[in-house]
Amino acid sequence: MRAGLPYARPGQTVGLFGGSFDPPHAGHVHVSREALKRFGLDRVWWLVSPGNPLKREGPAPLERRMQAARALVTHPRIEVTDIEARIGTRYTAQTLARLFALYPGVRFVWLMGADSLADLHRWQDWQWIVENVPMGVLARPGQRISARSGKAARVYRDWKVRASAAGGLAHMVAPAWCFLNVPMVDVSSSEIRARGEWRR
């Protein structure tokens, strides 16, 4: 295993929670804990990205966001990583392909908020993503209807997994996606920035 990358052994289930985390906040931690519990995961890795290709303005420096995330995360099975910077990938599909090669036998689940599901069709190689990794979608305030009616949800509606079967998602063959309504912490990175509590 390459130095600096998190450890996982074959057979383990790992949720991948990607984002800019600009800044990280309690809502990110809450979603991660819910994902561990509801999807039956061994671990959740935060993939703190170098930058979001869909956003014009760049985030705060990566090291600053990493430090803030590590200060926030205390759960022993949630790990903050800068995998994308270390392996040199920029898009989710590229990252997944490299992780599949680096971690043979590890069962990954891509974790996202409902807002990301609504925008998924704008991601590079989005259909490849859906067809190669199970996806766990956790509802955020005000995003449930738009996510369920979005293009990705409509195209892959026949592969939606019942919430009652969420615990087995990591062991399903993609495409497989599960939408969970969970109690949410109503906070966002953009709101925190707007209040002046985090400056880039």
Side-chain angles (χ1 to χ4, degrees):
M1 185 52 54
R2 188 181 298 189
L5 295 184
Y7 173 78
R9 63 179 183 274
Q12 283 191 313
T13 57
V14 177
L16 302 173
F17 188 21
S20 57
F21 298 94
D22 186 36
H25 54 71
H28 294 131
V29 177
H30 174 71
V31 166
S32 301
R33 294 173 70 102
E34 286 290 324
L36 281 168
K37 180 173 61 177
R38 300 286 294 275
F39 295 126
L41 302 173
D42 293 314
R43 302 188 66 80
V44 166
W45 294 349
W46 286 16
L47 275 55
V48 183
S49 67
N52 185 341
L54 293 179
K55 294 182 179 178
R56 289 184 205 159
E57 186 179 353
L62 176 61
E63 186 54 38
R64 182 170 169 232
R65 290 179 284 127
M66 288 286 292
Q67 289 176 355
R70 286 173 172 151
L72 189 65
V73 171
T74 58
H75 194 288
R77 293 193 289 131
I78 302 173
E79 188 165 355
V80 177
T81 79
D82 55 357
I83 286 177
E84 290 180 311
R86 289 182 181 274
I87 64 178
T89 57
R90 180 170 170 80
Y91 296 96
T92 297
Q94 296 172 342
T95 300
L96 287 170
R98 290 287 291 126
L99 290 179
F100 295 159
L102 287 167
Y103 295 92
V106 174
R107 295 182 176 274
F108 291 110
V109 172
W110 186 261
L111 304 174
M112 66 173 73
D115 53 338
S116 293
L117 177 63
D119 288 337
L120 185 61
H121 62 281
R122 298 174 57 212
W123 296 20
Q124 186 177 66
D125 298 324
W126 70 273
Q127 290 181 289
W128 184 93
I129 296 170
V130 178
E131 293 172 9
N132 281 275
V133 66
M135 300 192 312
V137 185
L138 298 113
R140 290 185 58 179
Q143 293 288 345
R144 297 175 185 183
I145 294 175
S146 62
R148 286 173 168 165
S149 61
K151 182 174 181 178
R154 285 187 281 108
V155 171
Y156 290 96
R157 62 182 177 275
D158 292 340
W159 288 272
K160 184 180 178 184
V161 176
R162 297 187 316 274
S164 60
L169 183 64
H171 299 280
M172 297 179 188
V173 176
W177 63 282
C178 186
F179 189 100
L180 292 182
N181 291 313
V182 296
M184 302 300 291
V185 176
D186 193 4
V187 61
S188 73
S189 297
S190 57
E191 289 172 358
I192 294 172
R193 293 195 303 270
R195 293 196 299 263
E197 298 172 16
W198 174 268
R199 298 193 182 280
R200 291 169 169 164

